[in-house]
Amino acid sequence: WSGGLLFQSKNFGQTWSDIQGFNGAGTFGFTGAPLGAHAGDLIQRGAQLTVSPLSGELFAITESEMISGENFAAYGADGRWEIIRFSGATLNANGTYTLSGFVRGDKGTEWATGLHQFGDLFVLLDDPDNAVVSFATSDIGAEYQYRGITSGLAIDTDTSTAMTYHGVNLECLSPVRAIGSRLANDLTVTWTRRSRFSSSWWTTGVVAPIGETVESYEVDVMDGATVKRTITSTTPTIVYTSAQQIADFGSNQSSVTVNIYQISSVVGRGYPLGATL
């Protein structure tokens, strides 16, 4: 393959602009029976995933190499991508690969671990033939048309595919480790934020950079699917007072369910941490 170009049209195919070149075919394919839901907190050693590649090869690495950040892959489909890492890769006689030894829900995608289906896509993100296509924040929410054209061929050798950039890569990761404590029926809720910036917090104790212009949170107090109250904060803690509980529920509550969001100034709420405290 001689390489190709990704073209974009912002006017429903009237004009096209090339936005990214590719020198080689990336490693990607389709998957078999899906992996199940996973909290993403431990290495998943017992599960296996079959990949039928359309292009490229997969290779086994050591678990230490995986932990250090090798063998990244995107697994899923539009709206439910999970980022995984894998250490085991066995080539089968029929040309498929059996993968094993996973880091699940990487880069804050643990919310997608239980959404997989048979035939989901698999894209090896480590492959240097893949490329990140940049978008402006003004493109968020806009549906454009795309065509992948082999170098030297005409624009009409491919049909259009519509895609909308939702700015998911800008959304704050869900917080973790929600803890509740009570004093005279006032409920104090604290949590630990996460960051898209690299951090060694778990080994060094140095807090990760916020990665946002300001630190901001919203906490929804839930009654089933109904939001009873939203409490805002600029620090990873809120107090849900006794008076507020009585106003919302008629009495002080023995347990309270909350959804905690960190806020991006660009795209708003990130992914929630749900907890009953």
Side-chain angles (χ1 to χ4, degrees):
W1 187 57
S2 58
L5 295 168
L6 177 65
F7 285 84
Q8 179 192 69
S9 175
K10 295 185 176 182
N11 53 15
F12 301 99
Q14 296 181 51
T15 58
W16 295 89
S17 300
D18 59 288
I19 60 173
Q20 181 65 53
F22 296 87
N23 294 321
T27 301
F28 63 98
F30 294 96
T31 58
L35 294 175
H38 194 270
D41 52 354
L42 297 171
I43 293 174
Q44 188 177 25
R45 294 191 174 93
Q48 294 183 332
L49 179 67
T50 299
V51 176
S52 300
L54 297 176
S55 174
E57 299 176 287
L58 301 174
F59 299 95
I61 58 175
T62 66
E63 193 169 276
S64 295
E65 290 171 328
M66 177 185 69
I67 292 172
S68 70
E70 296 184 33
N71 270 2
F72 271 107
Y75 167 41
D78 185 29
R80 51 181 182 83
W81 287 106
E82 179 191 355
I83 305 302
I84 66 173
R85 283 178 271 169
F86 62 95
S87 58
T90 301
L91 177 62
N92 302 312
N94 62 358
T96 65
Y97 287 86
T98 299
L99 307 186
S100 59
F102 300 99
V103 170
R104 301 288 308 280
D106 214 349
K107 307 298 183 182
T109 61
E110 65 279 349
W111 59 270
T113 62
L115 303 178
H116 295 297
Q117 300 175 15
F118 189 96
D120 273 355
L121 288 166
F122 176 93
V123 181
L124 185 66
L125 300 178
D126 281 354
D127 192 325
D129 288 321
N130 289 323
V132 175
V133 179
S134 298
F135 290 86
T137 55
S138 58
D139 291 325
I140 295 175
E143 181 181 276
Y144 299 140
Q145 304 294 314
Y146 297 86
R147 292 186 181 183
I149 305 298
T150 294
S151 298
L153 298 184
I155 190 69
D156 60 1
T157 55
D158 187 23
T159 56
S160 299
T161 297
M163 192 197 80
T164 301
Y165 170 53
H166 294 291
V168 172
N169 60 310
L170 301 177
E171 292 185 17
C172 298
L173 306 186
S174 64
V176 295
R177 295 180 56 188
I179 300 173
S181 61
R182 293 183 182 275
L183 179 63
N185 288 320
D186 290 348
L187 174 64
T188 298
V189 181
T190 60
W191 58 88
T192 300
R193 64 170 175 80
R194 292 191 288 173
S195 173
R196 290 192 179 276
F197 284 79
S198 297
S199 171
S200 57
W201 167 80
W202 66 285
T203 55
T204 66
V206 177
V207 178
I210 296 174
E212 304 295 329
T213 53
V214 295
E215 186 173 6
S216 178
Y217 305 92
E218 291 181 356
V219 180
D220 287 346
V221 178
M222 306 300 297
D223 181 13
T226 302
V227 178
K228 302 295 288 187
R229 179 184 298 269
T230 298
I231 304 172
T232 61
S233 178
T234 56
T235 61
T237 184
I238 57 104
V239 177
Y240 186 35
T241 67
S242 172
Q244 290 171 331
Q245 294 173 54
I246 294 171
D248 294 342
F249 295 98
S251 64
N252 289 304
Q253 299 296 289
S254 59
S255 64
V256 175
T257 298
V258 294
N259 287 331
I260 306 169
Y261 302 83
Q262 187 173 357
I263 309 301
S264 162
S265 60
V266 178
V267 294
R269 286 182 167 189
Y271 291 98
L273 167 64
T276 299
L277 305 167

